[in-house]
Amino acid sequence: MVALKLVNRPNKRKQTADQVSELTTNRLSVYLRCLNEVDASGVKSISSQALADRFQLNAAQIRKDLAYFGEFGVRGVGYYVNDLRQHLRQILGVDKHLRIAIVGAGNLGLALADYPGFKQEGFEIAALFDAASDKIGQESRGGVPIHDIRDLKRIVRRERLDIAVIAVPAAHGQPVVEQVVAAGIKAILNFSPGALKVPPGVKLKNVDLTVSLESLSFYLAQGES
Amino acid sequence: MVALKLVNRPNKRKQTADQVSELTTNRLSVYLRCLNEVDASGVKSISSQALADRFQLNAAQIRKDLAYFGEFGVRGVGYYVNDLRQHLRQILGVDKHLRIAIVGAGNLGLALADYPGFKQEGFEIAALFDAASDKIGQESRGGVPIHDIRDLKRIVRRERLDIAVIAVPAAHGQPVVEQVVAAGIKAILNFSPGALKVPPGVKLKNVDLTVSLESLSFYLAQGES
């Protein structure tokens, strides 16, 4: 469990990860991103209302989400930006520099390998994996090496990789996930189309890019009425 | 407004797009994806409970989400799979074969151009745009042509493009969005890091891939307790 220095009243720290909805953790991620920007602009403390106004968020929701993990606000001051950033980084587990493997060195895998947002948040893309002999031994533009997928287990151990990102064609999704699980990975982010199965104890998160487009098409369709 | 053939009691059709939360439209997208799979397996009708069981969804939530748009269920039968698919496609506006422009023909833009899920849901990636002279005139592996970004306005009109996907480096995000808006696009899906500004009447949806990774790191961090 994360350590919370500023806790000064009973909170719900004992809740397990499964009880905190993914929507909440997604919002915490957004708050962290906003606080990074506030910090970069030199602001030392900010109220939930000012934060909400600046980033079009909901102030009551911010206070509620943060209160779940402890009492971070200071009366008359708001939040100390840098303190709250550190707490959010601990809560989200990104203070640990998690190491990521990307399976699939096609356009998507290569794009993700060099995605600048990951590094900024403490994720390190440590390795790419592919089965194509012309890719193995090469590296991404940003310098991430491409390994043979057959070496997955060995390299996951050697490089202490925590999370696998699946960026392979749909037909290869399930076999690749099984290799990843067999290699000891407990958290998987899947970009492959189609539903993948993982055993209990392994967390799978699907990123379906079509869902994002459909919320836009919904907007366009309703706008025509 | 979408036509709902099966409506047989008052519903909330008059609600505007803004009042239906993005979370709801995201769930409708997921239901559509599940129904496609059910349909492909030859099942003609399914109850909300069976649908929930098969895809680890919440039956009450399914009924609530669908009831918002009309009465689609039939007592003793459940939902007719193909009818409900058509209705969801109408509600989500994907029955219209929306045409997409992708700005940025780097790894991410090229990956998105050939992403198989889009075509399946009626989106057509009609054009890529870039400023690099060695890319202009080429095409993606799947055959999407790469145009000069300077021709954006002309090609948006000629090709009747509805949605723009932004896949350029962070520094180019805001100028590119402004070009896209000036070209008459009303719905934008942004993969660039950093907050972009759009004028009223233009819908911007940000896809922050870091948020997905952080919900996994949260899971790993809490699991250690």
Side-chain angles (χ1 to χ4, degrees):
Chain A
M1 183 53 66
V2 296
L4 297 176
K5 281 182 296 185
L6 284 182
V7 172
N8 56 20
R9 66 176 190 189
N11 62 33
K12 297 176 182 167
R13 285 191 298 150
K14 295 212 193 309
Q15 306 272 358
T16 65
D18 281 350
Q19 290 170 290
V20 179
S21 89
E22 203 161 287
L23 297 176
T24 308
T25 64
N26 286 354
R27 284 195 301 270
L28 296 178
S29 288
V30 171
Y31 302 157
L32 175 56
R33 208 83 62 259
C34 295
L35 288 165
N36 288 345
E37 209 177 307
V38 169
D39 185 59
S41 68
V43 173
K44 298 299 175 202
S45 66
I46 192 166
S47 68
S48 55
Q49 191 58 55
L51 195 62
D53 290 346
R54 179 156 167 186
F55 297 99
Q56 288 132 52
L57 304 169
N58 180 315
Q61 181 82 66
I62 294 173
R63 290 191 296 270
K64 188 180 158 205
D65 287 335
L66 296 177
Y68 189 91
F69 295 94
E71 178 56 74
F72 301 115
V74 177
R75 194 171 293 274
V77 175
Y79 302 106
Y80 286 109
V81 173
N82 213 27
D83 278 1
L84 186 54
R85 277 178 69 213
Q86 296 312 319
H87 284 294
L88 283 175
R89 291 175 57 79
Q90 284 182 326
I91 293 167
L92 289 169
V94 294
D95 55 332
K96 299 216 181 68
H97 291 277
L98 291 172
R99 293 168 65 77
I100 318 284
I102 296 177
V103 185
N107 280 320
L108 184 58
L110 291 170
L112 294 171
D114 296 339
Y115 187 71
F118 291 154
K119 199 159 214 170
Q120 194 184 323
E121 283 315 324
F123 295 102
E124 185 177 355
I125 311 292
L128 279 152
F129 292 90
D130 207 289
S133 57
D134 59 326
K135 289 180 181 168
I136 296 164
Q138 308 291 317
E139 55 185 38
S140 77
R141 202 172 303 169
V144 179
I146 305 174
H147 300 282
D148 190 334
I149 181 73
R150 287 180 296 187
D151 296 332
L152 184 69
K153 194 167 192 165
R154 188 169 62 77
I155 291 168
V156 163
R157 282 182 191 173
R158 189 186 74 190
E159 301 277 331
R160 298 182 184 188
L161 305 179
D162 304 290
I163 295 177
V165 174
I166 311 290
V168 299
H172 298 146
Q174 190 59 41
V176 158
V177 158
E178 283 162 20
Q179 279 179 280
V180 162
V181 169
I185 293 281
K186 300 286 184 218
I188 299 171
L189 186 63
N190 173 43
F191 283 87
S192 278
L196 300 180
K197 291 192 178 72
V198 294
V202 175
K203 175 87 169 174
L204 173 74
K205 188 174 162 74
N206 291 300
V207 178
D208 186 337
L209 301 171
T210 317
V211 170
S212 305
L213 265 184
E214 283 176 354
S215 86
L216 285 175
S217 65
F218 173 80
Y219 168 83
L220 290 174
Q222 306 296 306
E224 285 166 7
S225 60
Chain B
M1 184 49 71
V2 296
L4 296 174
K5 281 182 297 184
L6 285 182
V7 171
N8 58 19
R9 67 176 188 187
N11 63 33
K12 296 175 182 167
R13 285 191 297 149
K14 293 211 194 312
Q15 306 272 357
T16 65
D18 281 350
Q19 289 171 290
V20 179
S21 88
E22 202 161 285
L23 297 175
T24 308
T25 64
N26 286 354
R27 285 195 302 269
L28 296 179
S29 289
V30 170
Y31 302 157
L32 176 57
R33 208 82 63 258
C34 295
L35 288 166
N36 289 344
E37 208 176 307
V38 169
D39 186 58
S41 69
V43 173
K44 298 299 176 202
S45 65
I46 191 165
S47 68
S48 55
Q49 191 58 55
L51 194 64
D53 290 346
R54 179 155 167 186
F55 297 99
Q56 288 131 52
L57 303 170
N58 179 314
Q61 181 82 66
I62 294 174
R63 289 191 295 270
K64 187 179 158 206
D65 286 336
L66 295 178
Y68 189 90
F69 294 95
E71 178 56 74
F72 301 115
V74 176
R75 194 172 292 274
V77 174
Y79 301 106
Y80 286 109
V81 174
N82 213 27
D83 277 0
L84 186 54
R85 277 178 70 212
Q86 296 313 318
H87 283 295
L88 284 174
R89 291 176 56 79
Q90 283 182 326
I91 293 167
L92 289 169
V94 293
D95 56 332
K96 301 217 183 65
H97 291 278
L98 290 172
R99 293 169 65 77
I100 318 285
I102 297 178
V103 185
N107 280 320
L108 183 58
L110 290 170
L112 294 171
D114 296 339
Y115 186 71
F118 291 155
K119 200 159 213 169
Q120 195 184 323
E121 283 315 324
F123 295 103
E124 185 177 354
I125 311 292
L128 280 153
F129 292 89
D130 208 288
S133 56
D134 59 325
K135 290 181 181 167
I136 296 164
Q138 307 290 319
E139 55 185 38
S140 77
R141 203 171 303 169
V144 180
I146 305 174
H147 301 281
D148 190 333
I149 181 74
R150 287 179 296 187
D151 295 331
L152 183 69
K153 194 167 192 168
R154 189 168 60 80
I155 291 168
V156 163
R157 284 183 190 173
R158 190 186 73 191
E159 302 277 330
R160 297 179 186 191
L161 305 179
D162 303 291
I163 296 176
V165 174
I166 310 290
V168 299
H172 299 146
Q174 190 59 40
V176 158
V177 157
E178 283 162 19
Q179 281 179 282
V180 162
V181 169
I185 293 282
K186 299 285 183 220
I188 299 170
L189 186 63
N190 174 44
F191 284 87
S192 277
L196 300 181
K197 291 191 179 73
V198 292
V202 176
K203 175 86 170 174
L204 173 74
K205 189 174 161 75
N206 290 299
V207 178
D208 186 337
L209 301 171
T210 316
V211 169
S212 306
L213 265 183
E214 283 176 356
S215 86
L216 286 175
S217 66
F218 173 81
Y219 169 84
L220 291 173
Q222 305 296 307
E224 286 165 7
S225 61

